[in-house]
Amino acid sequence: MVQEDRQNSENWSVASLFVELRPVLVKYLSARIGDSAEAQDLAQEAYLRLLRVPDPDLIEKPHAYLFRIAANLASEMRLKRGRQPHLLDGKAIDSLDDGGAFERTVEMQWALQRLQKILSGLPPLYQAVLILRRRDGYSHAEIARKLGISVHTVHRYLTRAVAHCRADWNETIG
């Protein structure tokens, strides 16, 4: 097997690789970049780059070398796409109407991160009272029993926690 690989690597040409590997290479590139027309262009560019190698006799594994060139071309294309509007069926993704779902998702993630930061700035008992009331739905009396404090203290901590959160929130968006 090793002897056969050595013979294959010594007796190769770009033309033989083109005939043997072009369909597989195009399929490989299509899977990596998601566009069969661009994959064919990249495959062609990979063969051209292989032709430009100054001393092809130094290439021990031409199949692997060709696929490495192709992988590098696919990576370059993905990087270029990152700097340009993404395309989907010829339309810029930015122009697709998703009903604002993407924007709402981003806003919701930002809001949750901001809320976590605001809550982390509260004293631990204030956090506990606020979470038990707003998230878990406990009554003031249930919270007082759980935390071992008076109902009046629960009311006072809740009022202060909500005021703190509102002030921080308004400071963030204002």
Side-chain angles (χ1 to χ4, degrees):
M1 180 75 175
V2 173
Q3 183 65 21
E4 184 178 314
D5 285 344
R6 176 65 76 195
Q7 287 177 339
N8 287 340
S9 67
E10 290 174 2
N11 301 321
W12 68 275
S13 69
V14 174
S16 66
L17 286 179
F18 185 84
V19 170
E20 179 186 351
L21 296 177
R22 190 169 202 300
V24 176
L25 187 63
V26 169
K27 188 173 182 178
Y28 169 78
L29 288 166
S30 291
R32 293 199 60 148
I33 63 172
D35 185 334
S36 61
E38 286 183 8
Q40 290 184 21
D41 290 343
L42 286 182
Q44 189 71 29
E45 178 64 26
Y47 284 109
L48 288 173
R49 288 190 183 186
L50 187 59
L51 278 170
R52 290 186 211 128
V53 171
D55 194 359
D57 294 333
L58 295 177
I59 299 172
E60 291 183 24
K61 297 181 180 178
H63 293 76
Y65 193 78
L66 177 64
F67 275 85
R68 173 49 42 207
I69 292 171
N72 290 343
L73 287 169
S75 294
E76 288 173 19
M77 177 167 278
R78 283 196 308 272
L79 286 173
K80 286 178 185 175
R81 280 184 181 169
R83 295 185 197 118
Q84 300 171 352
H86 293 283
L87 298 178
L88 182 64
D89 295 332
K91 295 180 182 177
I93 287 180
D94 297 338
S95 69
L96 295 177
D97 183 17
D98 64 354
F102 177 75
E103 289 83 3
R104 284 191 303 276
T105 300
V106 170
E107 287 173 8
M108 182 67 79
Q109 288 174 345
W110 175 84
L112 286 172
Q113 289 172 348
R114 183 64 193 138
L115 183 58
Q116 286 175 332
K117 187 174 181 182
I118 290 170
L119 287 174
S120 69
L122 289 171
L125 271 176
Y126 285 30
Q127 284 181 32
V129 168
L130 184 63
I131 289 170
L132 289 169
R133 177 70 184 134
R134 296 293 172 119
R135 186 191 71 190
D136 300 339
Y138 287 106
S139 69
H140 289 210
E142 291 171 322
I143 296 169
R145 260 193 315 278
K146 278 188 167 299
L147 298 178
I149 56 178
S150 71
V151 173
H152 177 72
T153 303
V154 168
H155 179 73
R156 189 177 41 181
Y157 285 0
L158 186 58
T159 302
R160 289 179 182 171
V162 169
H164 173 81
C165 289
R166 280 193 182 132
D168 276 9
W169 188 266
N170 290 335
E171 183 179 302
T172 301
I173 61 173

